[in-house]
Amino acid sequence: MTVVHTVIDSPEGPLPLMARDGGLAGLYIGDEQYRPPRAAFGDRDDRPFVAATRQLNEYFAGDRVEFDLPLAFSGTPFQETVWRALLQIPYGETTTYRELAESIGRPTASRAVGLANGRNPIGIVVPCHRVLGSDGSLTGYAAGVECKRRLLELERGRRKGSAPAEPTRSQG
């Protein structure tokens, strides 16, 4: 198993990216609670991150609404199910932990979904920031609620040329 990393600049500050065997395995914002120790990041090598860097720059510029990158998930089967479900939340839309639990066929697992969501190692690309509390509140983001708010505002402001707006829950 080959693990390498790079660090790119972003409006949210430096973003460490980690790749494992050619797939994006980590994207960390700020001092996330579940960020692995520095030794786990492997050697610095910018080459495997050319596409990720380009796509993240396009995302922050408002020119990209979907990522097309190989991902290298490393979690429990339940966590990986939740992380794959996050990829189905459309750009500029939100869902709740309850709705996400229902979408994976586990309607009573809202808390477990929230825990798995919080351990998502590939922030932004796997859009855990699009999940809200059942009352629509901006809860539970490892990089902080203000960061979550900024990412949602970026997406709401760029979707179909609309003006920035408060996040809204999806109807699904």
Side-chain angles (χ1 to χ4, degrees):
M1 174 172 67
T2 303
V3 177
V4 295
H5 80 280
T6 192
V7 179
I8 65 170
D9 290 325
S10 83
E12 294 300 326
L15 298 179
L17 282 71
M18 183 171 53
R20 185 176 37 261
D21 295 331
L24 185 63
L27 186 161
Y28 302 95
I29 307 167
D31 294 324
E32 292 186 34
Q33 177 180 3
Y34 299 113
R35 184 180 188 162
R38 169 64 188 95
F41 279 75
D43 292 331
R44 172 117 188 203
D45 184 353
D46 300 338
R47 294 172 295 171
F49 300 98
V50 171
T53 300
R54 178 180 45 78
Q55 290 184 33
L56 284 161
N57 286 335
E58 291 168 353
Y59 170 83
F60 284 115
D63 297 328
R64 175 167 291 275
V65 298
E66 285 185 18
F67 292 93
D68 183 20
L69 299 167
L71 303 177
F73 289 128
S74 180
T76 68
F78 180 79
Q79 287 172 328
E80 292 186 20
T81 296
V82 171
W83 300 338
R84 290 184 200 293
L86 292 171
L87 293 168
Q88 304 308 309
I89 305 169
Y91 179 91
E93 294 185 24
T94 59
T95 192
T96 65
Y97 295 104
R98 179 185 52 79
E99 291 167 336
L100 192 58
E102 289 171 357
S103 79
I104 64 168
R106 302 282 301 270
T108 62
S110 296
R111 287 183 187 256
V113 163
L115 291 171
N117 192 59
R119 291 209 180 234
N120 169 27
I122 311 173
I124 301 173
V125 173
V126 178
C128 53
H129 61 278
R130 296 180 188 155
V131 184
L132 307 176
S134 60
D135 63 356
S137 61
L138 302 181
T139 61
Y141 195 57
V145 172
E146 286 308 310
C147 179
K148 184 174 192 167
R149 180 184 318 280
R150 288 188 301 270
L151 292 173
L152 291 171
E153 287 176 352
L154 168 75
E155 292 184 11
R156 296 292 295 168
R158 297 288 196 257
R159 192 179 71 184
K160 299 177 186 170
S162 64
E166 284 298 308
T168 58
R169 294 187 358 201
S170 67
Q171 300 300 314

